[in-house]
Amino acid sequence: MDFFTSDLHFAHPKLAELRGFATVAAHDAAVMAQLYRLDPASDVLWVLGDICSGGVASMEAALAQLATLRVPMHLVTGNHDPVNPMRRGAQRFFPAYAAVFASVQQHARVKIGEHGVLLSHYPYMGTPDRFDRGELAQYQLPDQGMWLVHGHTHSAVRRSGKRSICVSLEAWDLAPASAEGLAAEMALGYS
């Protein structure tokens, strides 16, 4: 089964504190414990950006932790990932990411249940977002009628729009969302 998550933010003191952890190590261990539950024989993990806080040391710590997983992983880059094309010199980090992830891309498309679904770090263009910054708008997809699974907002609310679902850790109790769980959310209809 496919699983989807976003905004892991390993080695990120501010996010660890915001999520209620006394230390970065406790935060990272709690996030990894959820990921270790995935079955390498049958599961695939899609990470929709922000594995770290944005610095090289944070990136290296995040990649080292993720490399211990045996489940196949794909990355859709987020604004805190040094490999994101929005960052100058991003290409120099690609080999490090490619050693951990089966693919590294800016957007992707998958099928969840009966729906074709776009994957992006960002919510659809025009979606209210407390982290909305003008410089990120150029990386947001327009809503042309497909479902979107995204991260970035750190919202505890799963539905971010008519056809969009947030998989930030805050929305799924620090666990990845299963394709089955997302299909169930889609079956609730349009909000």
Side-chain angles (χ1 to χ4, degrees):
M1 177 176 294
D2 285 353
F3 286 83
F4 303 84
T5 192
S6 181
D7 304 297
L8 303 175
H9 287 282
F10 289 119
H12 194 167
K14 180 180 178 183
L15 257 293
E17 181 181 339
L18 287 173
R19 289 177 176 159
F21 292 91
T23 66
V24 168
H27 168 269
D28 292 2
V31 173
M32 286 301 293
Q34 295 288 349
L35 299 179
Y36 281 127
R37 292 180 176 176
L38 301 179
D39 183 353
S42 59
D43 296 336
V44 173
L45 178 63
W46 285 88
V47 179
L48 305 186
D50 287 0
I51 66 167
C52 63
S53 66
V56 174
S58 175
M59 175 200 78
E60 289 170 345
L63 290 172
Q65 289 181 79
L66 290 168
T68 67
L69 295 171
R70 295 294 164 236
V71 65
M73 293 181 291
H74 300 276
L75 177 70
V76 173
T77 62
N79 56 299
H80 285 281
D81 296 312
V83 74
N84 188 306
M86 72 185 284
R87 293 176 167 265
R88 185 176 34 246
Q91 70 281 356
R92 72 179 190 257
F93 300 109
F94 184 80
Y97 279 81
V100 175
F101 291 97
S103 69
V104 177
Q105 55 216 316
Q106 199 168 359
H107 303 103
R109 184 175 171 172
V110 297
K111 190 165 185 174
I112 296 177
E114 62 187 45
H115 300 284
V117 175
L118 297 171
L119 304 177
S120 175
H121 177 64
Y122 309 101
Y124 272 137
M125 215 179 267
T127 300
D129 174 10
R130 64 186 175 147
F131 298 113
D132 188 23
R133 295 179 190 98
E135 75 270 11
L136 301 179
Q138 65 184 316
Y139 301 102
Q140 292 179 279
L141 297 170
D143 183 350
Q144 296 183 333
M146 287 185 71
W147 279 94
L148 173 73
V149 175
H150 68 87
H152 183 65
T153 64
H154 294 267
S155 175
V157 178
R158 292 177 179 178
R159 292 296 285 270
S160 56
K162 186 175 181 181
R163 285 177 295 275
S164 56
I165 301 172
C166 179
V167 293
S168 291
L169 287 178
E170 289 81 357
W172 297 85
D173 300 319
L174 296 183
S178 68
E180 187 177 81
L182 292 173
E185 190 71 36
M186 290 177 204
L188 295 175
Y190 302 128
S191 58

